[in-house]
Structure formats: C-alpha cells, structure tokens
C-alpha cells in the first residue's frame, strides 16, 4: 500500500484546535516559554522559528522579545496564512513570515541569535542537514530549543486521554462536538503516524535525538522527554 502523505495545508485549517483544546499541546507551549524565559536577546537580534506552523510559538516569541526580529519560517502556504492573519489581528510588527522549505532556506553564517523548532524536525526531508544549517546560522554562543516528536503515537491512548479531559472540562455534548470538529486533525495525525511507521518521517529515542544534535556540533545544556512521552527536547548552545 502506498504511504499516505500528510497535507499540512489541510491540517492548517483546523490546526489551532490544538492550542484551543488540547491540554498536552497547551502544556508543551507553556513548557517551551518557561525553558526560554531567561534568554537575553539584544535589540534587533534575530530569532528563527523553523517549521513555525500557524504561529503559536513565533507570535508569542515576537511578543516576549519585542526588541528582537522574529522570523517565522514554514514551507506551507496554508499554515503561513493562518499565522499571518493572527499576526495582523494582534498588531505584531517584529515578525516576518518566510515561506520556504528548510531545504531551500539559507541565512548568513552566524547571523541568528536564537532558534526554536517545535515538532517540525521529524517532518523535514533531511533532519540532520537541517540541524547542521541551524548550527551554521547561529552566532557563537547562540542558543536553540529543539523539540521533536520521536515516537509513533498510540492513537487509542491519546483519544482516551483527550476524551477524559474534555468530558471533565466541558461535558459530553461539547466533547462530541470537539471530536467531530477535530476529525481533520485526527486524519492528518494518522497520516503522520503512517509516515513515521514507513520510515518517511524521522523517529528516535531521546538518546538518539541528543546524540544527533551533539554530532551536529551543539553543546547540550539541558534536555528531556515531553508530550506524554512522544517527544524529546534539548536546550543547546553553539560553542
Ligand atoms: C506539526 S507542525 C508544527 C508547527 C509548530 N511548530 C507548532 O508546534 O505548532 C509541523 C510544521 O512543519 C512544517 N514543515 C514540514 N516540512 C517542512 C519543510 N521541509 N520546511 C519547512 N517547514 C516544513 C509544516 O508545514 C508544519 O507547519
């Protein structure tokens, strides 16, 4: 059977149901901003959010570091359109949207102060090359927070955890409505799962992730497992 392919463009239309309803996505979002809260970013320094999706991180980054320039980079037009609308609605002026695949992207060596990439590396055609690019784009001493989904999701386990949360939070009628509305999210996640199983998307243990990042030249400052055991994160620095 042919591997189905995730459509980021279709996913984009419902993607923000995650930040609206999914407590595990919301928890990771809080964790990311907690991990980078002490970053010192000087005026006009540049921060890149690579694989930035609908801007849930890039927009908040721009708000958190108002003196910095934030680049939201993503290959998908649908994702970028949602991010653009939110950026305008919130009156954000220090964010620019770059529509490009990481494989075609280039920045001058040493030009970035910091990089985040959340749940995107696994989907890149060559995650190691992307990590090497991030390393070269960062200035010496620059930091990155890299979070990546390394394991194949157990769908039933997630659906039960979500249903339990929605039932307690909203009751049965709204739970039913969220699941109905979220059908496209489930469908695209099923495609991602199949692409992971077929080896199209990168899967890894925490140790493999950490080692790969280290081999790309980064110093690991901290790291761990998150997102109900599915994902790995490392806070790194370029020496
Ligand atoms: C699961 S989403 C994560 C979005 C966002 N970082 C978040 O956590 O909400 C993965 C994103 O990676 C983007 N992506 C996939 N392949 C890409 C590539 N080759 N270059 C740049 N972005 C890519 C997709 O368009 C999608 O927006």
């Amino acid at each position: 059977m042919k591997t189905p392919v995730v459509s980021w463009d279709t996913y984009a239309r419902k993607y923000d149901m995650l930040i609206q309803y999914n407590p595990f996505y919301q928890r990771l979002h809080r964790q990311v901003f907690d991990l980078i809260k002490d970053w010192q970013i000087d005026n006009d320094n540049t921060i890149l959010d690579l694989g930035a999706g609908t801007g849930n991180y890039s927009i908040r980054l721009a708000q958190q570091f108002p003196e910095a320039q934030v680049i939201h980079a993503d290959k998908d037009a649908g994702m970028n359109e949602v991010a653009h609308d939110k950026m305008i609605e919130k009156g954000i002026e220090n964010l620019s949207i770059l529509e490009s695949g990481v494989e075609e992207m280039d920045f001058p060596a040493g030009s970035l102060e910091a990089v985040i990439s959340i749940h995107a590396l696994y989907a890149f055609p060559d995650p190691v090359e992307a990590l090497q690019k991030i390393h070269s784009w960062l200035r010496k001493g620059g930091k990155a927070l890299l979070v990546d989904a390394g394991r194949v999701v157990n769908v039933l386990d997630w659906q039960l955890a979500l249903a339990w949360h929605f039932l307690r939070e909203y009751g049965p009628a709204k739970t039913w409505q969220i699941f109905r509305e979220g059908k496209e999210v489930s469908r695209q996640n099923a495609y991602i799962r199949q692409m992971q199983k077929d080896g199209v998307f990168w899967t890894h243990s925490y140790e493999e992730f950490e080692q790969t990042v280290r081999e790309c030249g980064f110093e690991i400052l901290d790291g761990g497992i998150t997102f109900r055991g599915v994902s790995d994160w490392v806070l790194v620095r370029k020496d």
Side-chain angles (χ1 to χ4, degrees):
M1 202 183 75
K2 211 169 153 273
T3 300
V5 176
V6 60
S7 164
W8 295 115
D9 207 63
T10 311
Y11 201 164
R13 286 173 227 150
K14 290 289 174 191
Y15 193 81
D16 279 351
M17 285 191 77
L18 294 174
I19 190 86
Q20 194 178 357
Y21 293 117
N22 187 320
F24 310 111
Y25 184 96
Q26 293 164 347
R27 194 178 298 166
L28 175 62
H29 194 264
R30 286 195 297 274
Q31 186 184 8
V32 163
F33 285 96
D34 195 48
L35 284 166
I36 65 172
K37 68 177 184 302
D38 296 328
W39 278 5
Q40 304 286 333
I41 311 284
D42 290 339
N43 287 6
D44 287 332
N45 279 347
T46 306
I47 311 175
L48 170 70
D49 180 355
L50 187 57
T54 58
N56 290 331
Y57 292 90
S58 62
I59 289 173
R60 175 73 194 277
L61 270 178
Q63 290 171 317
Q64 182 144 332
F65 301 104
E67 309 302 333
Q69 295 302 316
V70 178
I71 301 173
H72 166 121
D74 199 287
K75 188 174 187 162
D76 186 71
M79 289 281 182
N80 291 336
E81 201 180 309
V82 177
H84 180 261
D85 289 350
K86 292 196 293 196
M87 175 183 103
I88 299 295
E89 188 192 308
K90 290 178 194 292
I92 309 280
E93 291 184 346
N94 58 329
L95 182 74
S96 54
I97 296 180
L98 173 65
E99 196 161 297
S100 168
V102 62
E103 53 282 17
E104 285 106 37
M105 221 175 274
D106 207 6
F107 297 101
S111 62
L112 302 181
E113 177 65 28
V115 175
I116 70 164
S117 185
I118 316 293
H119 283 166
L121 283 161
Y122 71 91
F124 294 161
D126 188 340
V128 171
E129 189 189 55
L131 286 167
Q132 289 165 342
K133 281 184 160 187
I134 295 173
H135 187 268
S136 120
W137 298 335
L138 275 173
R139 73 156 176 89
K140 213 169 174 323
K143 290 196 175 68
L145 177 64
L146 308 166
V147 182
D148 198 46
R151 267 75 66 198
V152 177
V153 162
N154 178 334
V155 177
L156 182 62
D157 175 63
W158 272 76
Q159 300 282 38
L160 286 174
L162 286 172
W164 176 239
H165 170 82
F166 296 152
L167 281 169
R168 271 183 316 171
E169 197 74 14
Y170 307 112
K174 175 98 176 170
T175 297
W176 174 245
Q177 190 203 322
I178 296 171
F179 271 108
R180 263 189 34 196
E181 203 193 324
K183 262 194 184 149
E184 198 53 59
V185 174
S186 305
R187 185 173 301 126
Q188 296 305 327
N189 280 334
Y191 294 159
I192 290 173
R193 180 182 146 86
Q194 195 56 48
M195 290 173 82
Q196 288 176 308
K197 281 181 153 181
D198 292 347
V200 180
F201 281 167
W202 185 30
T203 54
H204 47 77
S205 64
Y206 174 76
E207 289 71 24
E208 288 161 344
F209 184 58
E210 198 196 85
Q211 190 182 336
T212 307
V213 173
R214 205 189 297 279
E215 283 169 2
C216 291
F218 292 99
E219 179 195 353
I220 311 280
L221 303 173
D222 201 357
I225 293 176
T226 186
F227 209 52
R228 304 191 73 237
V230 169
S231 304
D232 304 315
W233 65 271
V234 284
L235 194 57
V236 301
R237 184 171 57 201
K238 174 174 173 175
D239 276 334

